[in-house]
Each structure stands twice: as structure tokens, then as C-alpha cells.
Amino acid sequence: MAIYQTMCTSFKAEVAQGLHNFTRTTGDVFKIALYVATANLGADTTIYTSTGEASGTNYSAGGIALTNITPLSSGTTGYWSFDDATFTNVTLSCAGALIYNSTNGDRAVCVLSFGSTINKAASNLVITFPPMGATDSVLRIA
């Protein structure tokens, strides 16, 4: 079991089917859930799962809602991201995360690997997303 950072394969087809709306104020609700190192997440992840999800003080199953940043394009690349997300005053351990569409069937979007286990004890865990741009955004289609 492992966490592999990737855009989920099912998401790629679902974007073409119009199943995800990332518009900032009128779009779907996307969430980020945290996972332990033994979770099995990767390109074949299709929906949010509680299997392998982190647990701890002030963390609720399913994670927290993200704030969308409306998609843009530059050259031949479409890109979008989210505002940074803060899990407030948590005590837990996690090694990765799943971003998923909670409005539309908990469909998986992408898996994030933190590269190592992060341990928090009654402190904030901030997920810092890269800046918006055709080469930097967390989600890009070229």
C-alpha cells in the first residue's frame, strides 16, 4: 500500500463529461481528506474512501471544504487550484491527501503525497497549494 501523487484517471474522463465545476463562487464543493502512510491511493482511485483516512482530535472524516480558484488558461494549458487549506488545532499523523468532489458523488480528483508522515499535536496543519499558473497550479491540463 502506498500513496502516489497523481491526477486520478477517472477524473480526466469526468472533466470531459462536464461532471466537475471549479468556478469559485458557483462551482461544486471540493474537499480534502487526510490519509495515513498505509493508505492505498493513486491513479486508480475513483471516489473518496474512509479506508486509510487519518483520525485524531479536531479532524472529521471526509476532511474540510476547499475554496476553488476559477480555472484559467495560458497558451495550450488550462489550470486551476484552491486557496490554502487549514486543519485547525489538530492532533494526528498523515502522509497524504485526496481532493474530491463532494457535490457530485464524492468523485476523486487528485492524490497528494506529502513525501513523509506529518505529525501534529494540537496545532494547525496548513496545506499550501502552489501559485496559480500554467506550470505551477496543482491541476493542469496541457
Side-chain angles (χ1 to χ4, degrees):
M1 296 189 165
I3 298 173
Y4 297 99
Q5 183 152 320
T6 187
M7 183 180 289
C8 298
T9 303
S10 59
F11 170 73
K12 296 172 186 177
E14 292 166 359
V15 165
Q17 296 166 4
L19 298 177
H20 299 276
N21 180 350
F22 288 91
T23 307
R24 186 174 189 97
T25 57
T26 59
D28 296 338
V29 174
F30 293 86
K31 290 187 174 182
I32 185 167
L34 302 175
Y35 290 84
V36 297
T38 56
N40 187 20
L41 299 172
D44 60 347
T45 301
T46 59
I47 61 170
Y48 159 77
T49 179
S50 60
T51 302
E53 189 170 6
S55 63
T57 304
N58 293 327
Y59 179 81
S60 298
I64 60 174
L66 294 167
T67 301
N68 303 342
I69 298 177
T70 301
L72 298 172
S73 64
S74 177
T76 60
T77 303
Y79 57 92
W80 60 103
S81 191
F82 305 95
D83 287 341
D84 294 347
T86 301
F87 291 88
T88 306
N89 196 34
V90 293
T91 298
L92 55 69
S93 295
C94 60
L98 175 69
I99 296 175
Y100 67 97
N101 185 337
S102 69
T103 299
N104 192 352
D106 292 342
R107 297 171 188 272
V109 173
C110 68
V111 175
L112 305 176
S113 173
F114 300 153
S116 64
T117 296
I118 296 171
N119 298 298
K120 290 292 181 174
S123 59
N124 292 347
L125 171 60
V126 179
I127 307 298
T128 304
F129 288 98
M132 281 285 284
T135 59
D136 297 321
S137 292
V138 69
L139 297 169
R140 300 180 306 276
I141 298 176

